Amino acid sequence: MQVCTSILVGGDKSACNSDAELFYKAVSNKEQSAFDQARRSCSTSSPAQSKLLVQPELEKNQDQLNGISVALVLDRSGSMKDEKKLSKAIQAAKAFAMTMDDADQISISSFSDKGSTQQGTSSVINVKDKIESVLSLIKPSGGTNIGAGLEEGFRQLSISKITQKTSLLLSDGADTTKSNHWFKVAENYKKKGWPICTVGFGKYAHEETLKTIATMTGCTYSAADTFDVVAKYQQLSAYVKGDSSLITVSDMLAIKGVNIYDFIVTHGGKLINIFTSWFGSELKTILIDPSGNRIDVSQGQGRYVLGKDFQYFEIKDPQPGKWKIEASWAVAPKIPEQVNILVTEKSDVFVRIHGLKPNYFLGQTVNINTDAFEVVNNRKIPLQNASVKIEIKKPGEEVVRLIQ
């Protein structure tokens, strides 16, 4: 399935004459920023609305460090042995760390009956070379003590001197301690203003607990399975950084097939990130810019990260307009395989479209959530009167052929 997004602030659709202009036009080209409009509206809004609009502190202390500090917290309970879930979660954590900026900070903790930390808080540049050996220390056994894992992450974030801090928690089941310890620890995060983004891994994940943790601390919940957990971690990475999702793809790629997808880069786009993941083969990714130039992401024209089953590529100051991404196999698999593609953009606006389940049954309602904010000093300010357009395309020809 392919999901594309666009947003219009204020509902002035008549002002947009092309796809490239439609996407964020009201934000990129307007005289007043979305936040200025929101702040001005406070003078006529109710006290409750005013508090919502101006509550974040926008002035940054000069002594504060730039970047993001992330505490990865992984479930290593006995059930993570099933379906090679722990192996996939480790792949997701590795890709997450490898695609962070060098100046960011990261820690890696895990939990079963008790919590432990495999990698203390450190700059990403100091962790990348040893990430595999660190993650190999995590072995599945025991029960699920979510609170113990969150405590480890909290301690690591407390060490960091970076102001913007977030924890990313993954769990595949219900808390087995039969207590609300996890709730008390989440309250500590809330008091500090440190969000906990949560991932429910597999069909037995306790969504209610994970959604509660994410909601009470000001972050978001995502459902993942073994086939898309690497991509879901990248979506949460974009969320933490305030990068908008331009296109999200989960599709099958035939042995000799070529899949092509369109996405729109806005006039205000400062940076685009292209992330692809797959299973066991080797993917070739080509970008085609609005002028028709073909860019092989592996040729070093921008920051490029290659893993065993993922690629990451970024382009600064991208040309606005309609781009294409072309995916084919550099080393063909024996059978068609799934590919996941995520393209994100950094601009003054943050937009995220996300579902709540990794898959659905025939006839089941698909719920899609949307977030729309302006990003000011790494803080997300709700956009007022924003309409979000979502375009959902059915699966590609290879998926249809396999089903038939």
Side-chain angles (χ1 to χ4, degrees):
M1 183 173 69
Q2 176 182 343
V3 180
C4 305
T5 68
S6 61
I7 181 171
L8 184 67
V9 179
D12 183 14
K13 297 182 180 178
S14 63
C16 305
N17 300 317
S18 70
D19 290 338
E21 290 176 341
L22 171 62
F23 203 85
Y24 301 161
K25 177 179 176 65
V27 174
S28 301
N29 298 336
K30 60 187 180 305
E31 294 180 359
Q32 294 285 337
S33 72
F35 177 70
D36 288 340
Q37 292 181 0
R39 182 168 55 187
R40 187 174 65 249
S41 71
C42 291
S43 61
T44 58
S45 61
S46 67
Q49 291 173 318
S50 298
K51 183 177 180 181
L52 172 65
L53 294 173
V54 302
Q55 189 176 20
E57 298 177 13
L58 299 179
E59 294 300 324
K60 185 176 180 179
N61 190 310
Q62 295 299 313
D63 296 330
Q64 295 173 353
L65 297 179
N66 293 323
I68 302 170
S69 183
V70 178
L72 296 182
V73 181
L74 300 176
D75 187 337
R76 56 176 166 83
S77 60
S79 59
M80 288 291 285
K81 291 186 294 186
D82 302 339
E83 304 173 32
K84 298 183 178 179
K85 285 188 288 187
L86 183 57
S87 174
K88 289 295 183 181
I90 286 175
Q91 289 179 26
K94 177 185 175 182
F96 185 97
M98 294 294 289
T99 55
M100 291 179 70
D101 292 338
D102 287 346
D104 292 337
Q105 293 183 347
I106 191 170
S107 66
I108 301 172
S109 304
S110 63
F111 64 93
S112 55
D113 296 310
K114 297 180 179 179
S116 61
T117 293
Q118 285 69 43
Q119 172 62 55
T121 298
S122 181
S123 296
V124 169
I125 193 171
N126 296 326
V127 175
K128 286 182 177 180
D129 290 341
K130 57 181 179 179
I131 186 70
E132 287 196 26
S133 60
V134 168
L135 291 169
S136 68
L137 299 174
I138 303 176
K139 307 295 183 183
S141 67
T144 305
N145 187 340
I146 294 176
L150 289 177
E151 281 183 327
E152 292 291 327
F154 187 89
R155 278 194 283 268
Q156 294 306 315
L157 290 179
S158 299
I159 296 171
S160 175
K161 300 299 183 182
I162 290 178
T163 302
Q164 187 179 352
K165 303 179 183 182
T166 301
S167 183
L168 177 51
L169 166 71
L170 176 143
S171 180
D172 75 330
D175 189 281
T176 56
T177 63
K178 297 182 180 179
S179 70
N180 287 331
H181 180 53
W182 59 266
F183 186 89
K184 296 176 182 178
V185 180
E187 284 280 6
N188 293 334
Y189 279 83
K190 180 180 178 181
K191 291 175 183 177
K192 288 284 190 178
W194 300 343
I196 306 172
C197 303
T198 59
V199 177
F201 195 22
K203 59 185 177 181
Y204 298 115
H206 200 267
E207 289 192 344
E208 183 179 352
T209 296
L210 296 174
K211 287 179 181 178
T212 298
I213 291 171
T215 301
M216 69 185 291
T217 59
C219 203
T220 187
Y221 166 81
S222 292
D225 216 320
T226 53
F227 61 83
D228 68 349
V229 66
V230 176
K232 288 298 178 72
Y233 261 57
Q234 288 299 311
Q235 292 176 26
L236 288 175
S237 175
Y239 182 88
V240 170
K241 296 175 183 176
D243 296 347
S244 297
S245 298
L246 298 185
I247 182 172
T248 304
V249 175
S250 181
D251 205 354
M252 297 296 292
L253 180 57
I255 298 173
K256 296 183 179 180
V258 178
N259 290 4
I260 299 176
Y261 310 97
D262 298 335
F263 62 94
I264 304 295
V265 172
T266 77
H267 286 280
K270 304 171 185 176
L271 178 77
I272 58 172
N273 305 296
I274 301 93
F275 181 86
T276 59
S277 60
W278 58 91
F279 298 91
S281 299
E282 186 177 338
L283 192 70
K284 181 178 181 180
T285 307
I286 300 292
L287 295 175
I288 305 172
D289 70 18
S291 298
N293 299 310
R294 295 174 64 85
I295 304 170
D296 186 336
V297 302
S298 65
Q299 297 305 309
Q301 298 182 38
R303 182 187 172 202
Y304 178 68
V305 180
L306 175 65
K308 181 181 178 180
D309 52 5
F310 74 89
Q311 290 177 327
Y312 173 87
F313 182 66
E314 67 179 34
I315 298 177
K316 294 181 179 179
D317 301 318
Q319 181 181 351
K322 181 178 286 187
W323 287 62
K324 295 180 182 293
I325 184 168
E326 182 181 284
S328 60
W329 294 116
V331 178
K334 295 180 180 180
I335 60 174
E337 290 186 5
Q338 179 171 318
V339 294
N340 299 300
I341 299 173
L342 173 67
V343 180
T344 64
E345 177 187 76
K346 182 173 290 297
S347 70
D348 293 331
V349 171
F350 169 80
V351 178
R352 179 173 182 253
I353 311 297
H354 56 105
L356 299 178
K357 293 180 179 294
N359 46 49
Y360 293 84
F361 299 108
L362 184 65
Q364 187 177 10
T365 300
V366 178
N367 296 313
I368 297 177
N369 288 1
T370 65
D371 301 313
F373 300 89
E374 183 175 17
V375 181
V376 181
N377 289 343
N378 290 324
R379 295 178 181 270
K380 299 182 181 75
I381 312 300
L383 285 173
Q384 303 301 301
N385 303 318
S387 61
V388 179
K389 177 184 176 182
I390 307 172
E391 181 182 3
I392 301 176
K393 297 182 179 180
K394 64 183 180 181
E397 294 180 359
E398 187 62 23
V399 174
V400 175
R401 187 188 69 80
L402 288 173
I403 292 174
Q404 292 173 342

